[in-house]
């Protein structure tokens, strides 16, 4: 079985929005001047900036991601992973480290298990993505339970009412998912990978409405960029519908359900994880962004992103890309 070369050797991507902020700040100022500003210039620019930034629910994203490389050897092609696994302890540690960086006002951990099938009680298949959110997630700011239990327990899920198959489900229905994990990559293309069949059951705890901002965070649609729009960032609703990618969207507790799944996979040292995990970070925008100081605002964001990189690298989390 392939094992990680280093316990913390996983590729992390920090996707800060500093490039989007550069486009946004510059175009907001340009459009304000072009319109022929007067006494209300300060107010106009500030309102325009705040309106556009309201479409960006997350400031910095630290995520685990993966890929493969192929190494030629005499007479054989060897496939190997470039990743180590991410445990729940790793994710929690990253969130804590990021929260210690000056300028960061909050963090949360979110995981997603996507593009999978579960069996409905009537025997039909349901194509879904399941998101695991933390107890203090900002998703809860825009989440309303319209039918069901007020909180999630282990292996329970909320069903977003916008899901295609929401009408086929009731509270306390059990969704059964049969998933095949690859636990060992063959060292020769003529061999078959070693696999493990895993059965997961999720009980429907209720049905929820999600405001746009909450849905964007839960689904990972943190911003929508269009090079053809007047501004660098366009509202997701109005530019296009929020992209879920599947027919059904489910939400579970990160601490009570996803943490255990992550640790299960970590213990197996699987070469590829079906679960993606991200640490979302929020900054003090009021103090860091000035609509009349574009270069200074961009510099502030770049400096903060560098602090996050340095903090994680100093604690043994390497290979950061911005």
């Amino acid at each position: 079985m392939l094992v990680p070369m280093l316990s913390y050797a996983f590729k992390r991507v920090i996707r800060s929005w500093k490039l989007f902020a550069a486009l946004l700040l510059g175009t907001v100022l340009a459009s304000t001047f072009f319109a022929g500003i007067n006494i209300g210039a300060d107010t106009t620019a500030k309102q325009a900036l705040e309106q556009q930034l309201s479409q960006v629910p997350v400031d910095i994203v630290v995520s685990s991601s993966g890929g493969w490389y192929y190494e030629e050897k005499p007479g054989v092609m060897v496939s190997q992973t470039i990743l180590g696994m991410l445990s729940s302890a790793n994710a929690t540690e990253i969130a804590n480290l990021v929260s210690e960086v000056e300028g960061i006002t909050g963090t949360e951990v979110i995981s997603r298990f996507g593009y999978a099938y579960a069996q409905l009680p009537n025997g039909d298949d349901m194509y879904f993505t399941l998101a695991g959110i933390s107890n203090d997630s900002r998703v809860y700011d825009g989440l309303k339970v319209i039918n069901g239990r007020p909180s999630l327990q282990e292996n329970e899920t909320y069903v977003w009412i916008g899901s295609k198959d929401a009408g086929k489900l009731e509270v306390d229905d059990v969704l059964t998912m049969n998933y095949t994990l690859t636990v060992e990559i063959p060292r020769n293309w003529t061999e078959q990978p070693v696999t493990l069949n895993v059965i997961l059951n999720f009980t429907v705890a209720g049905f929820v409405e999600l405001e746009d901002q909450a849905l964007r965070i839960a689904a990972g649609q943190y911003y929508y960029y269009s090079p053809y729009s007047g501004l660098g960032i366009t509202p997701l609703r109005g530019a296009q519908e929020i992209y879920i990618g599947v027919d059904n969207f489910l939400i579970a507790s990160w601490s009570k359900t996803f943490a255990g799944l992550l640790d299960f996979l970590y213990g197996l040292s699987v070469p590829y994880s079906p679960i993606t995990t991200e640490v979302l970070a929020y900054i003090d925008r009021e103090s860091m962004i000035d609509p009349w100081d574009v270069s200074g605002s961009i510099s502030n964001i770049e400096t903060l992103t560098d602090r996050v990189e340095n903090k994680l690298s100093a604690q043994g989390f390497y290979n950061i890309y911005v």
Side-chain angles (χ1 to χ4, degrees):
M1 181 179 295
L2 295 176
V3 297
M5 296 177 63
L6 296 172
S7 62
Y8 290 106
F10 67 91
K11 183 190 295 181
R12 294 177 330 283
V13 180
I14 295 184
R15 298 192 302 271
S16 78
W17 47 276
K18 60 187 180 183
L19 294 180
F20 295 99
L23 286 171
L24 178 62
L25 292 169
T27 51
V28 165
L29 290 179
S31 61
T32 302
F33 281 116
F34 183 77
I37 60 175
N38 49 31
I39 299 176
D42 289 340
T43 302
T44 301
K46 190 173 189 299
Q47 288 177 343
L49 180 60
E50 289 177 346
Q51 180 181 1
Q52 293 303 313
L53 287 179
S54 69
Q55 305 301 322
V56 186
V58 177
D59 299 326
I60 296 176
V61 180
V62 182
S63 67
S64 64
S65 61
W68 304 93
Y69 70 86
Y70 301 94
E71 180 183 355
E72 289 275 6
K73 289 191 175 181
V76 66
M77 179 74 80
V78 179
S79 170
Q80 296 180 336
T81 177
I82 61 174
L83 294 189
M85 285 302 300
L86 182 63
S87 69
S88 62
N90 294 150
T92 302
E93 182 181 1
I94 291 172
N96 290 337
L97 289 170
V98 174
S99 67
E100 294 173 358
V101 176
E102 183 180 357
I104 298 294
T105 60
T107 60
E108 62 176 278
V109 180
I110 188 166
S111 296
R112 299 181 192 88
F113 184 95
Y115 303 94
Y117 285 94
Q119 190 175 62
L120 297 169
N122 66 1
D124 292 344
D125 285 334
M126 183 182 79
Y127 192 38
F128 73 96
T129 286
L130 177 68
I133 62 175
S134 305
N135 294 334
D136 57 352
S137 173
R138 294 195 179 186
V139 173
Y140 280 114
D141 295 340
L143 181 151
K144 180 181 179 181
V145 180
I146 59 173
N147 180 23
R149 293 185 276 279
S151 61
L152 289 166
Q153 301 304 315
E154 184 178 1
N155 296 332
E156 288 189 339
T157 180
Y158 284 141
V159 179
W160 175 47
I161 60 170
S163 298
K164 177 181 177 181
D165 296 315
K168 299 179 181 180
L169 294 168
E170 296 181 358
V171 175
D172 289 328
D173 277 351
V174 176
L175 303 174
T176 300
M177 186 192 68
N178 197 322
Y179 191 85
T180 300
L181 284 172
T182 298
V183 296
E184 185 174 345
I185 300 296
R187 299 190 63 81
N188 191 306
W189 287 116
T190 63
E191 300 175 357
Q192 294 297 316
V194 178
T195 61
L196 175 67
N197 195 52
V198 178
I199 297 177
L200 299 173
N201 291 316
F202 297 99
T203 301
V204 176
F207 298 84
V208 296
E209 291 179 339
L210 292 170
E211 296 177 0
D212 280 6
Q213 202 83 327
L215 183 57
R216 290 172 193 164
I217 296 174
Q221 299 297 305
Y222 305 127
Y223 40 68
Y224 171 70
Y225 172 67
S226 171
Y228 304 107
S229 60
L231 295 175
I233 299 175
T234 356
L236 287 171
R237 288 266 167 93
Q240 63 177 26
E241 288 297 311
I242 297 176
Y243 180 71
I244 303 301
V246 293
D247 294 332
N248 301 279
F249 191 68
L250 313 177
I251 292 177
S253 166
W254 190 87
S255 61
K256 296 177 181 177
T257 298
F258 267 84
L261 292 175
L262 286 173
D263 292 338
F264 170 72
L265 295 171
Y266 185 82
L268 291 176
S269 296
V270 295
Y272 169 75
S273 174
I275 297 176
T276 60
T277 298
E278 297 173 334
V279 173
L280 312 182
Y282 306 95
I283 70 172
D284 183 0
R285 296 181 179 182
E286 188 70 25
S287 65
M288 297 193 66
I289 300 177
D290 181 353
W292 298 106
D293 184 3
V294 178
S295 60
S297 298
I298 295 172
S299 177
N300 289 339
I301 296 170
E302 289 178 334
T303 298
L304 181 57
T305 305
D306 290 342
R307 287 176 185 164
V308 172
E309 290 181 326
N310 294 336
K311 182 76 171 183
L312 294 176
S313 297
Q315 297 300 317
F317 294 98
Y318 305 110
N319 300 326
I320 297 175
Y321 298 88
V322 179

